[in-house]
Amino acid sequence: MHRLFTELEPFITVIEQNLADRVRYILRLNIFDGAEHERLRCEAVPSSNENATTEDAVPQVAEQPAHVNTPVVADSNDDGTFTHPDHHPEQMRSTLEEAIVVTRSTPLENRPRFPRIAISKRNRAVVRALNPILVTYLEASRDLCETDFLFGAALLVCRTIGAKVSTAGRATGQSSAIPPLRRRIEERIAKTRALIGRLICFISGNNRPRVVRTVRMAFAGTNVSLSQPDITQKLTERIDDLKQRIAAWGKRIRRYTERLTWFNQNRLFQSDQKRHYESLERPMESGTGPAPNQADTVAFWRGLWSEPVNHSEGHWTEVVASQCITPMDPVIITPDDGAEAVRRATNWKSQRGKRLDGLHHYWLKDFVVCHTVLARHFQEAFNQKSLPSLFTTGITHLVP
């Protein structure tokens, strides 16, 4: 079957095991009924004689129309129906080339951030469709630095399934200090206060079109019209109702702030009781002292991290090394070791702070063809006792 497939599709690189897995996948899910299976078999390997050999059928297969050019990777929707992916393998290969070029031309700290995609059958089928295509790039990679095409493959998957990829780099994207829940409630309060101001302006006699339109929107879905004689009373009641909502939202923010404070105090008590009691006795005041000088701060940390230091060890270290330290057994990293390490990792654990590219563990899990090559590259790096800067450079945020 693999020999026939390579003759039909010479530009697609696929291993025997992957092809057999695809066949079992289609058969297990009963994507096609018996009649459809027979029709596809006759179209793929037509033969006028039932006893014809496989060698006789090979030239006839090459002359058939492009019925077999559809990828054999089945896609699935959430409702259980299966369809073929929209992208031909050659189209995905060309798109992957473009994504890799864009990835390698972008600095690590400015690469886009991947979202958390839904782990559905449809998305998994798109990810697995890239596995045969990645084999060529994996075989051509010489070290860990040349495995950055996995980032381009993840970018291609996100674009294919329509996931929103943030174009802001990780170094420039500053996260807000305000919690999302509090920010949303504060936005509601701001909009409600603006609405109250418009209603008060209308009561005062301001009949501008924008004000009138806002008042009508405030009474949308009710039987209140602006021509009613008691419209002033209705507006007053509406303003009081909105003020009560603002008061309720304010109490909700206070409860949320108190609960967040309790949570942080409990967590700090579990990790460092001394700091917890110090924070209770002497609460920290932010923004009261002078701002630190940036040049002095950079010079201080550069002296600790960037300048080489020669340490003079005592003679006792040689005695301890000769008497207490035994040589380490040779370390052999196998593909199973890499697959097991990735399997136990959290899917969407962000690698920011550890690696600049921010590639999630999910992509390393589903790109199963990379486990063998990554194990080989890590073994070579371990033997050479050196890792590329991609794995040793991270983003450090100084806490004043």
Side-chain angles (χ1 to χ4, degrees):
M1 181 176 63
H2 181 264
R3 181 172 56 83
L4 290 176
F5 186 85
T6 54
E7 292 177 357
L8 293 172
E9 297 290 344
F11 300 100
I12 300 178
T13 304
V14 60
I15 59 178
E16 294 88 343
Q17 183 63 43
N18 186 266
L19 187 61
D21 292 340
R22 296 302 174 185
V23 174
R24 285 194 295 269
Y25 178 82
I26 295 175
L27 295 177
R28 184 175 68 252
L29 296 178
N30 294 325
I31 300 176
F32 307 109
D33 54 9
E36 189 70 8
H37 271 296
E38 186 65 22
R39 184 184 66 82
L40 292 175
R41 188 187 64 80
C42 295
E43 288 180 356
V45 188
S47 177
S48 58
N49 187 4
E50 295 180 355
N51 296 327
T53 60
T54 305
E55 289 77 6
D56 297 332
V58 171
Q60 299 178 2
V61 172
E63 298 176 358
Q64 289 299 311
H67 295 290
V68 293
N69 288 337
T70 305
V72 296
V73 182
D75 191 5
S76 62
N77 298 327
D78 294 335
D79 56 357
T81 59
F82 290 82
T83 57
H84 292 287
D86 296 334
H87 292 76
H88 190 273
E90 291 303 316
Q91 296 178 356
M92 297 184 71
R93 187 184 298 273
S94 61
T95 310
L96 178 60
E97 290 282 354
E98 298 175 0
I100 293 175
V101 171
V102 173
T103 298
R104 292 180 174 175
S105 61
T106 306
L108 289 174
E109 61 273 9
N110 295 332
R111 289 183 181 179
R113 301 177 62 178
F114 291 136
R116 296 186 179 186
I117 64 174
I119 306 180
S120 61
K121 294 182 180 179
R122 173 181 176 273
N123 295 343
R124 282 187 178 274
V126 178
V127 175
R128 293 171 182 173
L130 278 176
N131 277 301
I133 303 177
L134 294 177
V135 174
T136 305
Y137 301 94
L138 288 168
E139 294 177 350
S141 63
R142 294 172 295 181
D143 53 15
L144 289 172
C145 291
E146 295 187 0
T147 58
D148 56 352
F149 58 86
L150 296 175
F151 191 96
L155 182 62
L156 171 60
V157 173
C158 291
R159 292 176 177 176
T160 303
I161 65 179
K164 185 178 180 180
V165 180
S166 175
T167 57
R170 285 171 294 279
T172 58
Q174 298 290 338
S175 60
S176 176
I178 303 177
L181 177 61
R182 179 176 176 179
R183 185 171 62 250
R184 289 194 299 268
I185 296 177
E186 289 179 351
E187 291 175 356
R188 296 179 194 171
I189 293 176
K191 292 180 181 179
T192 306
R193 285 176 176 172
L195 178 58
I196 292 175
R198 295 284 178 87
L199 296 179
I200 294 176
C201 290
F202 183 79
I203 294 176
S204 302
N206 189 341
N207 296 326
R208 288 187 300 176
R210 178 182 296 181
V211 176
V212 175
R213 184 167 59 250
T214 304
V215 174
R216 288 176 178 174
M217 291 175 58
F219 289 103
T222 62
N223 296 326
V224 178
S225 63
L226 303 183
S227 59
Q228 291 181 357
D230 58 344
I231 186 61
T232 303
Q233 181 182 357
K234 297 292 185 183
L235 288 171
T236 305
E237 294 175 356
R238 183 62 175 169
I239 291 173
D240 293 340
D241 178 67
L242 294 177
K243 288 182 178 179
Q244 292 177 8
R245 290 189 181 184
I246 292 176
W249 287 334
K251 292 181 180 179
R252 186 176 180 184
I253 290 179
R254 286 193 294 270
R255 290 197 304 268
Y256 176 77
T257 305
E258 292 176 357
R259 191 265 174 194
L260 188 63
T261 303
W262 298 339
F263 175 80
N264 293 332
Q265 290 178 351
N266 292 336
R267 185 171 59 179
L268 182 60
F269 181 81
Q270 293 178 358
S271 60
D272 192 345
Q273 297 183 10
K274 180 180 178 180
R275 285 181 55 195
H276 169 68
Y277 289 118
E278 287 179 353
S279 65
L280 295 179
E281 296 175 359
R282 295 186 300 272
M284 297 180 60
E285 298 180 2
S286 60
T288 57
N293 185 276
Q294 182 177 2
D296 296 341
T297 304
V298 173
F300 174 78
W301 290 106
R302 181 179 286 120
L304 294 179
W305 289 345
S306 300
E307 297 178 0
V309 180
N310 295 324
H311 298 281
S312 59
E313 303 291 348
H315 66 281
W316 59 272
T317 57
E318 299 179 358
V319 178
V320 172
S322 60
Q323 296 181 359
C324 303
I325 300 178
T326 58
M328 185 177 178
D329 295 333
V331 176
I332 300 177
I333 303 175
T334 63
D336 294 337
D337 296 334
E340 179 64 18
V342 175
R343 185 187 65 81
R344 289 185 282 104
T346 308
N347 279 339
W348 303 112
K349 189 68 174 180
S350 176
Q351 301 238 358
R352 287 177 293 165
K354 298 181 180 179
R355 284 180 54 181
L356 288 177
D357 58 356
L359 192 65
H360 296 118
H361 295 138
Y362 169 80
W363 306 106
L364 298 179
K365 286 184 181 181
D366 278 23
F367 292 146
V368 293
V369 295
C370 71
H371 295 167
T372 303
V373 178
L374 288 178
R376 184 177 74 247
H377 290 333
F378 273 109
Q379 182 69 51
E380 295 174 356
F382 183 82
N383 296 335
Q384 297 174 3
K385 300 180 180 180
S386 65
L387 282 173
S389 59
L390 173 65
F391 294 86
T392 58
T393 304
I395 302 174
T396 302
H397 300 276
L398 301 182
V399 179

